[in-house]
Amino acid sequence: MSPKKISLEDRFLIAGARGMAGKSICKKLKAAGYGNIKNGGVIFEPPRAELDLLDLNAVKDWFKKNKPNIVIIAAAKVGGIYANSEYPASFILENLKIQTNLIEISWQFGIKRLLFLGSSCIYPKYAKQPIKEEYLLEKALEATNQWYAVAKISGLKLCEALRLQYGFDAISLMPTNLYGPGDNYHPKNSHVIASLIRKFVQATKNNNKQVTCWGTGLARREFMHVDDLGEACVFSLEKWDINKDNAPTDNNGVPLNWLNIGTGVDISIKDLAEKIANITKFKGEIIWDKSKPDGTPRKLLDTSKINSLGWNYKINIDEGLKKVIKEFKITEGLL
């Protein structure tokens, strides 16, 4: 068995540690024994007040002071269809700045290993299903989130370019749609599961007779609990070595620099809404506002590459929804 790519003595920077993905990654790293000062390890979780990722000089000064040697980029400006449509410049500009600052400074400071988190929205709107890593850039993107997608593609390709030109050990993971503790439940800027949970919990609380959902409900999506992503990140940092013979490759036998992370199982938005309605005990009518966009018709990732290395998801959608709805109710003072 090959040695781990990371060690208990490493100094981790989790950029975006206060977000949903970042919190889970920190939790899973600590559970695996990393960041324990007794072993000489550290996990840095700087808030924005301490480290402004949009400021290149601030990032450089922070690296000089704290000397991390493993960097995980979970920081990003994120949102659903509404937010992407309303703030396109913010989505592309802020994400480009955040990831470019971190990746470039990490390379300049000789970081041992970098993990960049992308998104499944990097793939074409009408990609073949399930979506393989090789389908990147084959066709046009989904228009409603193209700004975020272009930024994420740029980050992925910057990591790949630095590996090819300088041998910089930067890897990327492309997670499917995430949900879980710490999600954003904003009425307009949230992703689909958080948005639906908020709607149905409030509707049940207020004895509303109807809940209106966007689109036709026919679009299909894949969802993964964020704790599965946290485990996938630790697994990839430990086990995925692009230079090894067992490293996943593309159709031409060239080692891949990014891997899909997901469940391999999708569900229609209509069925998802009905699941959430049942769990929240909503008894009214679900109205579908067909004037609102569905987004990509279907988005299901092929995860066979990461599965071949030994990683698989653990939390199914029914178990995950029950957990996160309970967590949301507790935060809202309903339990």
Side-chain angles (χ1 to χ4, degrees):
M1 185 174 178
S2 60
K4 290 182 178 179
K5 295 288 287 180
I6 56 176
S7 69
L8 298 180
E9 298 82 23
D10 283 326
R11 300 169 64 83
F12 293 80
L13 164 60
I14 315 296
R18 304 304 172 93
M20 178 173 66
K23 284 180 181 177
S24 181
I25 295 167
C26 289
K27 179 173 69 175
K28 296 300 181 180
L29 280 170
K30 291 172 183 177
Y34 299 101
N36 188 332
I37 195 168
K38 294 179 180 179
N39 298 322
V42 180
I43 295 178
F44 295 105
E45 308 171 44
R48 185 165 186 171
E50 179 185 336
L51 175 57
D52 183 357
L53 299 175
L54 296 170
D55 185 335
L56 179 64
N57 289 325
V59 175
K60 187 177 294 185
D61 290 342
W62 191 93
F63 270 62
K64 285 180 182 177
K65 178 183 177 181
N66 294 285
K67 297 178 174 56
N69 67 334
I70 304 290
V71 173
I72 301 173
I73 305 177
K77 181 178 179 63
V78 298
I81 291 176
Y82 173 84
N84 276 269
S85 300
E86 289 295 308
Y87 311 109
S90 298
F91 272 86
I92 191 168
L93 189 58
E94 289 188 30
N95 282 303
L96 283 173
K97 283 185 176 181
I98 289 168
Q99 63 202 31
T100 303
N101 287 348
L102 283 166
I103 295 168
E104 182 179 13
I105 295 301
S106 293
W107 164 60
Q108 289 177 348
F109 275 70
I111 295 303
K112 182 169 80 171
R113 177 148 252 228
L114 179 143
L115 171 59
F116 172 69
L117 283 187
S119 166
S120 60
C121 73
I122 66 169
Y123 293 112
K125 178 175 182 177
Y126 295 111
K128 290 173 285 186
Q129 304 288 322
I131 304 170
K132 296 179 181 292
E133 286 86 351
E134 294 91 333
Y135 299 166
L136 181 66
L137 300 176
E138 277 192 347
K139 299 176 183 176
L141 298 166
E142 159 59 40
T144 58
N145 64 4
Q146 62 180 310
W147 320 105
Y148 178 75
V150 166
K152 286 297 183 181
I153 293 170
S154 298
L156 177 158
K157 287 297 181 180
L158 177 56
C159 288
E160 184 180 24
L162 287 169
R163 174 179 288 278
L164 290 171
Q165 187 169 343
Y166 298 107
F168 181 52
D169 189 4
I171 56 175
S172 301
L173 297 179
M174 300 299 119
T176 190
N177 301 288
L178 300 172
Y179 69 98
D183 206 345
N184 172 22
Y185 289 92
H186 188 278
K188 290 184 177 179
N189 296 337
S190 57
H191 286 118
V192 60
I193 283 187
S195 174
L196 290 174
I197 288 174
R198 184 180 186 86
K199 284 183 178 183
F200 283 104
V201 168
Q202 290 185 337
T204 302
K205 174 187 174 184
N206 298 327
N207 294 314
N208 295 341
K209 302 301 181 184
Q210 295 181 338
V211 165
T212 300
C213 300
W214 276 29
T216 65
L218 299 178
R220 300 186 67 84
R221 292 290 183 272
E222 175 186 15
F223 298 98
M224 182 174 67
H225 194 282
V226 71
D227 283 350
D228 279 324
L229 172 66
E231 292 203 348
C233 290
V234 177
F235 176 90
S236 298
L237 285 166
E238 290 183 341
K239 307 294 186 184
W240 178 23
D241 186 340
I242 292 179
N243 297 316
K244 294 293 183 181
D245 291 340
N246 69 337
T249 61
D250 63 18
N251 293 332
N252 297 315
V254 178
L256 285 162
N257 206 68
W258 69 97
L259 296 178
N260 292 337
I261 303 294
T263 65
V265 180
D266 64 358
I267 184 174
S268 73
I269 300 302
K270 181 176 183 293
D271 288 345
L272 174 67
E274 291 174 354
K275 278 183 182 290
I276 294 173
N278 288 334
I279 297 170
T280 57
K281 296 181 171 56
F282 175 72
K283 304 300 183 182
E285 182 183 9
I286 301 174
I287 305 297
W288 293 95
D289 182 357
K290 297 178 182 177
S291 70
K292 296 296 192 295
D294 278 333
T296 303
R298 190 185 187 201
K299 192 165 62 172
L300 176 65
L301 295 182
D302 182 318
T303 60
S304 59
K305 298 288 198 305
I306 187 74
N307 297 154
S308 72
L309 292 176
W311 179 85
N312 286 280
Y313 84 101
K314 295 177 181 176
I315 304 171
N316 66 48
I317 188 73
D318 294 296
E319 175 192 353
L321 286 176
K322 288 176 183 176
K323 288 175 61 177
V324 77
I325 288 170
K326 182 178 180 180
E327 289 160 355
F328 177 71
K329 286 183 175 181
I330 290 171
T331 62
E332 292 291 296
L334 299 175
L335 285 178

